[in-house]
Amino acid sequence: MKVYPSASIRNVAIVAHGGAGKTSLTEALLYNAGATKRLGRVDEGNTVTDYLPEEIKRKVTINSTLAVAEWQDNKINLLDTPGYSDFFGEVAGALRVVDSLLVVVSAVAGVEVQTEVVWEAADNRHLPRIAYVNKMDRENANFQKAVESMRERLSGHIVPVQLPIGEAENFTGFIDILNQKAYTYDNGSEKEIPIPAQYADEVARLREALIEAAAEGDDELLMKYLDGNELSSEEIRAGLKKAVAEGKAIPVLCGSAWKNMAVKPVLDYIIKYLPSPVEAAGKDIAALEEENLAALVFKTIADPYVGKLSMFRVYSGVLKSDSTVYNVNRESEEKIGQLFSLQGKNQLPVTEMKPGDIGAIAKLQVTTTGDTLTTKANPVRLEGIDFPEPSLPVAIKPKSKGDEDKLSNALARLLEEDPTLRLNKNTETRETILTGMGESHLDITLERLQRKFGVEVEMSTPTVPYRETIRAAVNHIEGKHKKQTGGHGQYGHVFIDMAPLPDKEFEFTETIFGGAVPRQYIPAVEKGIREAMQEGILAGYPVTNIKVNLADGSYHPVDSSEMAFKVAAGLAFRKAVEQAKPVLLEPIMNVEITVPEQFMGDIMGDLNSRRGRILGMEPQGKNQVIRAQVPLAEMYRYAIDLKSITQARGHFKMNFAQYEEVPASIAEKIIQQAKAKKEE
Ligand SMILES: Nc1nc2c(ncn2[C@@H]2O[C@H](COP(=O)(O)OP(=O)(O)OP(=O)(O)O)[C@@H](O)[C@H]2O)c(=O)[nH]1
Ligand SMILES: [Mg+2]
């Protein structure tokens, strides 16, 4: 593919709620730009951007995928993003590197939740955007309603720049408000027609609103407009472009990606109204090219056959094929082989990439997502990417024993690819815990493990790392291990005191008098206690927060040994715990939940049913932040339940607070279960 100068590049992410038609619109844009020979269908699994087996199977986008439309001597880098909230990490990566957005709104459903979520994220990044009301051909399509839902639920000045001619099965074309021209489609070919008479008033009204929005983009223009002067088409265009750049105006187009009607104007609008990287940076081209190289890796694709593919955006300087760069995050040089532009999964070689361009490099050695590639002489470090924290943990293990190494290698690769996965080993429960964004995310992760790396994995709810402790002090508890059956016998004999130790896990002391237990056996007694603490007497969980004192004992000059004293200590320990009011402890988590105001009542009720204690709440913009303490046992599925309570509008963070006693009725059940399991 040819090298495009920075001013002829547009970087656009296509965003919306799931199913609005992002992938279908991307496909139609590519088709109209001649990048593909046929219009693929999501439902037939043959689109450019939904190419992964997991995407084809579900008919849903999972990864942000790059595809390029060359239009009027410009290069549009389109990033087709997922709409489902589990994959928001992919959207976050895309938002970090694009200069603008194409927001798709279904003409049937109007604005949906996930569109609001990305819209807010885009507000925070000050990204200019245009919107496309898609599915105008569908039953119940209603342009007016869709626009109203945008005005109700999204920020900014929503400005229709087109009007559909007919709706649903009568949708035949569109009217260009600014130029006052109408077009219909006849078997795929576009034809200009006079504006149908019934739309004349509406077109005039919308044109006035459009001019007003354009005037607001520029103070001088606004004065001229308010003084009652006519604005020229050129002035309107320039004003609108400024208003879009500043995020004040959002032009709204409409059409049908499926029927390929009114798709070309989207390409025109992207070129005319959305900023090039040069405009977005507010610098001139020469400056950008002469500046030191700075490219951000925003996505990594791990393929067991092709190897690693790193997707990047150049911010300044020129990145060349077959060069050496410096990874400032890893403090290491990287060899760059062939650079590629991407058409979905297809790689198109390019010799170099100018500032602003987006592409991919294969087989980088040290680089991971979020790293900056720059020069060693004058390193630049770009801001990284804000990925969402995952909150749904599951325990995983390979289905076939012996696959452990294979699994951990495969997981390492997947983690490199997906920054919204976390992997931990719980040393107490000995489980491998994989944390993801939601059920679908985890399902797909397991599917990938199997497809890419051939490891089949089982998942289950993680085990709660309960602990045991005591509530009372006991003194002089005896433990005696004595075996004298001919030959060399065994003899160990101790008396211990035991007491709760609130702020420390364990403490061992001794007050042996007159060598009742010889010095050399005392460490063995401590060792015996420590080993016995690994398995409590209630349900087999580790015992903590106790202090033990070795008070007395006796020995045998021939039969005593370290081993015998270790065993005696263990016997004394179990007896002591039994008498010292043993209880079960559970981990309590600090939880911070952020939800829109209207869900507060439901959230509180739900926390109650999870044995939660509310610590406080405070407003944060349109949201409320609730702080609470909740037992971990009640939180394993919270990610799923919070999603369903808030329609995926809420999120939460949690970290360990402290251990607390399990309420008696619940402890009873846990102890019964542990007994049953042991007998099994
Ligand atoms: N009738 C009609 N159906 C459409 C149109 N655009 C998309 N669809 C259908 O709507 C469904 C979803 O389309 P996609 O393009 O996969 O939507 P998406 O926004 O990419 O969805 P996710 O990637 O899952 O977020 C598919 O069945 C499409 O065929 C349209 O303009 N008209
Ligand atoms: Mg899609």
Side-chain angles (χ1 to χ4, degrees), residues 340-357:
F340 297 106
S341 182
L342 295 177
Q343 201 63 276
K345 65 179 168 196
N346 292 326
Q347 304 177 347
L348 315 172
V350 280
T351 53
E352 60 177 35
M353 291 217 159
K354 300 284 192 186
D357 214 345

Side-chain angles (χ1 to χ4, degrees), residues 31-42:
Y31 178 71
N32 283 280
T36 48
K37 292 277 167 294
R38 86 179 160 183
L39 186 66
R41 303 280 188 204
V42 171

Side-chain angles (χ1 to χ4, degrees), residues 17-24 42-43 59-61 82-84 134-135 137-138 256-258:
H17 192 86
K22 298 176 290 297
T23 301
S24 304
V42 171
D43 309 85
K59 304 182 171 65
V60 157
T61 304
Y84 194 65
N134 185 37
K135 304 193 185 180
D137 62 296
R138 272 271 295 268
S256 163
W258 171 261

